[in-house]
Structures are given as structure tokens and as C-alpha cells.
Amino acid sequence: MNCDYTGFTDTHAHLSYLKDRGVPLEGLPEALAGGGFGFILDIGTDAGDIEGRIATLSRYPNVRFATGVWPYSGQICRIQENADALEKNLTSAPPGLIVAIGECGFDFRENPQEPAEETAFLEMQLTLAQKYSLPIIIHSREAPRRTLETLRRFPAVRGVIHCFSYTKEEARLFLDMGYYISFAGNLTFKNAQPLREACAMVSAGRLLLETDSPFLAPAPWRGKPCHPGMIAETYRLAAELRGISLDNLKTLISANARALFALD
Ligand SMILES: [Zn+2]
């Protein structure tokens, strides 16, 4: 793969998974070290993962971190323990490195049996987002209504619906609540017409793009491990859908990410 990283922003990646899955780095460390990649937000899925991520990635000037717990059924019953661990992450990390809470939310495909537990678990993380004035990164699969209802109870919190997978009507409801909408490589999938309609419609100031690497490689590589360099495909399609140039889209996404995550 021939990667050009210049000016791209990836608002959702799991960089520490790349090595475990044998994803070739394709010059990524050099691009990160030289500031070639605009900005990458490295996302947490477990309260205990932050230390290792910061140890290996904080040397790169354009990488920042989120800490949060994915709605694993083994975790959602352990609210207090996870709240304490996340709070410790937030108070002990070097200042400015952790810029968001997440990812967290609902996955009714993986775990449709425990909606009440998933709700309480997300509420715990929304409470932390409110307390520390940090944006939240929401994972929401097959649970648009429950997600909206829960986020509405925390009107002071803002954030992003990552890897958006709903319709433009649902996008409108999240936008009305002040949330950003982020599209991943599945935007390029053949059957993703509703996503493309949503991507064309999202207000310019609330649009974000991501890889969710190593998951969700865009169309030419669908099913393969996703590398952050593949984000170029998602950008190309989003620029086409919105009728703007690739350079203007890079500038827009960078400005939006900087605003949401309060980067200087
Ligand atoms: Zn993710």
C-alpha cells in the first residue's frame, strides 16, 4: 500500500491493536513522528488499556487519547470499579493527553439482553464526561432510540456518534442535540446508501471521519485489517458526496476535530 498521510485526520483508531493483528505499519510511525498525519485520536475500550497506549504512543505529537469502556457484557455489571479506574486514568495522565471519554455506548447486536445494564454503564461514563468537561465518543449499534434517550438526560455533554450506522433522519436528531457525526470505512460499502445520504447532509461544522482501524477497512480492502492510511478512500468519497475538494475536506475535518477535542 502506498500511503500519503499528509493532512488527514483520523478521529477514531485503535493503534495499539495494529501490531497484534499483524497490520503492516506502512511508514505510519515515521508519518506520526514527523507530524505528517494531521491528527489521530487513539481510542480506549477498557479502563486498563491506557497506560500501555500512552507509553508507546505519547511520543508522537499528533496523537491524543480517549479512555473509556466498551459495553462488554462482562464489564457493564462492574460500574463502580470501572468508574474508579477511569477517574484514576483521568487524574493521573499527563495533562492534555486524554481529550475524551470513550468509546462507550450500546451494542444491541452483540448484547441485546441487557439494555438496562448498558444504559447504566453509559450513564456512568456520561457523568464523568460532564464532571471533567470532556467530549464523549459514542458507540451505538442497533440502538438509535436508546442512545438518543440516554444522551438527552445529559444535555451539558457533547461528543461524537462514531462509526455512524443509521439514517439521515437519525443523524438529524443527534445533530440537533449538538453531537458530531463520524463516518468510517463502511461509508464506501456497496449497501451503504443510507450512510452516504447522511454523510452528504451532515452540517459542515459537525462532520468527522475515522478509520476505526484495525476494523472496517474501506471498500477496496473490505474484510482486511484496516490501516489508518486507508482513510484516504473514505475522504475521497466524502468529498465527492459533499461536492468539495479533498483539500477543503481535510481542512474542515481538522478544524472540527480540533474544536471538539479542544486541541491547541
Ligand atoms: Zn472503535
Side-chain angles (χ1 to χ4, degrees):
M1 209 174 98
N2 202 358
C3 290
D4 171 16
Y5 299 106
T6 317
F8 287 106
T9 297
D10 183 353
T11 61
H12 191 115
H14 301 273
L15 295 176
S16 53
Y17 296 178
L18 298 180
K19 222 176 173 185
D20 297 347
R21 290 170 187 247
V23 183
L25 292 181
E26 313 275 7
L28 180 64
E30 294 76 11
L32 289 174
F37 211 120
F39 164 69
I40 296 190
L41 186 60
D42 187 67
I43 305 293
T45 55
D46 183 283
D49 63 20
I50 190 80
E51 236 170 280
R53 291 160 53 218
I54 286 184
T56 50
L57 295 163
S58 63
R59 77 187 79 152
Y60 301 123
N62 293 343
V63 178
R64 294 289 185 281
F65 302 87
T67 186
V69 187
W70 206 88
Y72 298 111
S73 69
Q75 293 289 350
I76 54 180
C77 48
R78 298 159 60 198
I79 292 189
Q80 194 53 48
E81 192 183 327
N82 274 294
D84 293 346
L86 288 174
E87 193 143 25
K88 186 165 163 274
N89 293 346
L90 293 169
T91 51
S92 61
L97 279 189
I98 298 181
V99 299
I101 306 276
E103 59 183 295
C104 49
F106 295 101
D107 200 309
F108 284 1
R109 188 183 306 171
E110 292 276 320
N111 183 14
Q113 289 90 15
E114 302 172 288
E117 287 82 354
E118 282 183 74
T119 304
F121 199 65
L122 174 57
E123 285 175 341
M124 174 272 285
Q125 298 183 75
L126 283 160
T127 303
L128 285 176
Q130 188 166 313
K131 178 171 173 186
Y132 289 90
S133 301
L134 288 172
I136 195 141
I137 293 155
I138 297 292
H139 171 95
S140 177
R141 194 154 63 155
E142 298 183 11
R145 210 161 309 153
R146 176 68 72 136
T147 306
L148 281 159
E149 285 163 12
T150 309
L151 298 184
R152 274 201 189 109
R153 290 198 285 278
F154 292 81
V157 177
R158 290 293 173 265
V160 53
I161 310 302
H162 113 84
C163 189
F164 187 76
S165 59
Y166 303 130
T167 63
K168 62 175 192 275
E169 288 76 20
E170 284 150 340
R172 170 56 52 212
L173 298 173
F174 287 110
L175 290 167
D176 287 347
M177 289 167 54
Y179 275 76
Y180 288 65
I181 306 280
S182 182
F183 295 90
N186 51 347
L187 183 69
T188 66
F189 293 176
K190 242 192 196 139
N191 58 355
Q193 191 52 28
L195 287 187
R196 288 188 280 277
E197 285 170 16
C199 181
M201 170 285 267
V202 168
S203 13
R206 299 282 190 72
L207 178 71
L208 293 173
L209 296 171
E210 61 174 80
T211 54
D212 203 9
S213 57
F215 311 107
L216 281 172
W221 304 283
R222 186 172 181 175
K224 299 225 167 74
C226 180
H227 179 274
M230 294 175 179
I231 203 163
E233 281 305 309
T234 309
Y235 269 72
R236 246 188 295 278
L237 177 58
E240 191 187 309
L241 290 169
R242 299 181 63 88
I244 63 171
S245 72
L246 184 58
D247 280 346
N248 284 349
L249 183 63
K250 285 179 179 178
T251 307
L252 176 70
I253 302 299
S254 166
N256 288 349
R258 287 181 178 277
L260 176 60
F261 301 115
L263 306 175
D264 30 68

